[in-house]
Amino acid sequence: MLKVLVTGVWISVVALGAAYFTAQYKTGYDPMLQKNAHLEGLDYQSTPTINVPVLEDGKIHGYIVAQFVFTVDSEVLAKLAVPPHAFIVDEAFRLIYSKADKAFAKLKKSDLKELTDEVRDRVNKRFATAIIQDVLIQDFTFHVPASLRNEIIEEMPQPATPS
């Protein structure tokens, strides 16, 4: 008789435990997500790669190849009639094109945080609301085509030869 009673209590505990954890699972409770609640609702989106020519003195000195990732609230993104990808690419192209010069071709450091903040601010200004939370750089490269490398090498000052 005691065996049947213990078995009945065991079955009840297992059934109640399974029901409790099933209810927790169905409601979407996850303690790991609660710790990172500030990331909830943000969506990361990538832009297509852009190639920005570096022009000065009527010559092309190379290309800046860049790709960006931006964060946006997923609810806001779903409500937008026009996705912000094209606006980010446009603003990044305009900004890089206006600032890139021959000095950029000589691998001068650039303030990338300033670049990404300005792209974010310009896009949010075009939408007239703070849609874009942050703009990140996924890829940023300066490329000199082989046909232009010889010209750049010729323009660089050569070391003096001892006489």
Side-chain angles (χ1 to χ4, degrees):
M1 177 74 182
L2 183 60
K3 217 181 217 185
V4 173
L5 185 61
V6 170
T7 305
V9 170
W10 175 250
I11 291 172
S12 297
V13 168
V14 170
L16 287 173
Y20 174 76
F21 287 110
T22 301
Q24 292 295 325
Y25 177 75
K26 291 285 187 182
T27 59
Y29 175 77
D30 186 356
M32 293 302 290
L33 288 179
Q34 295 303 322
K35 292 178 186 174
N36 296 326
H38 65 281
L39 297 177
E40 191 173 318
L42 286 183
D43 195 12
Y44 288 87
Q45 298 282 320
S46 291
T47 64
T49 303
I50 60 172
N51 297 308
V52 183
V54 176
L55 300 171
E56 193 171 313
D57 302 328
K59 293 182 183 177
I60 295 178
H61 294 278
Y63 296 91
I64 297 170
V65 180
Q67 185 176 16
F68 299 93
V69 175
F70 62 94
T71 59
V72 63
D73 188 347
S74 56
E75 291 178 8
V76 173
L77 184 63
K79 293 177 184 176
L80 289 176
V82 178
H85 297 74
F87 294 96
I88 290 175
V89 168
D90 180 60
E91 289 298 339
F93 188 96
R94 290 172 187 256
L95 194 56
I96 293 169
Y97 185 80
S98 67
K99 291 186 176 187
D101 57 5
K102 263 200 281 192
F104 200 95
K106 295 177 183 169
L107 300 177
K108 179 182 173 189
K109 287 187 177 182
S110 298
D111 187 5
L112 298 178
K113 177 69 175 151
E114 181 182 301
L115 172 76
T116 57
D117 287 348
E118 193 166 346
V119 168
R120 180 197 63 216
D121 295 343
R122 285 181 174 195
V123 171
N124 285 339
K125 186 177 178 182
R126 284 174 84 170
F127 277 101
T129 185
I131 292 174
I132 307 300
Q133 305 295 321
D134 200 7
V135 176
L136 310 167
I137 296 175
Q138 184 169 337
D139 185 25
F140 198 83
T141 310
F142 183 74
H143 175 70
V144 179
S147 61
L148 299 176
R149 283 190 192 130
N150 294 335
E151 293 177 25
I152 291 174
I153 291 172
E154 289 172 4
E155 290 179 9
M156 295 177 84
Q158 300 298 323
T161 56
S163 36

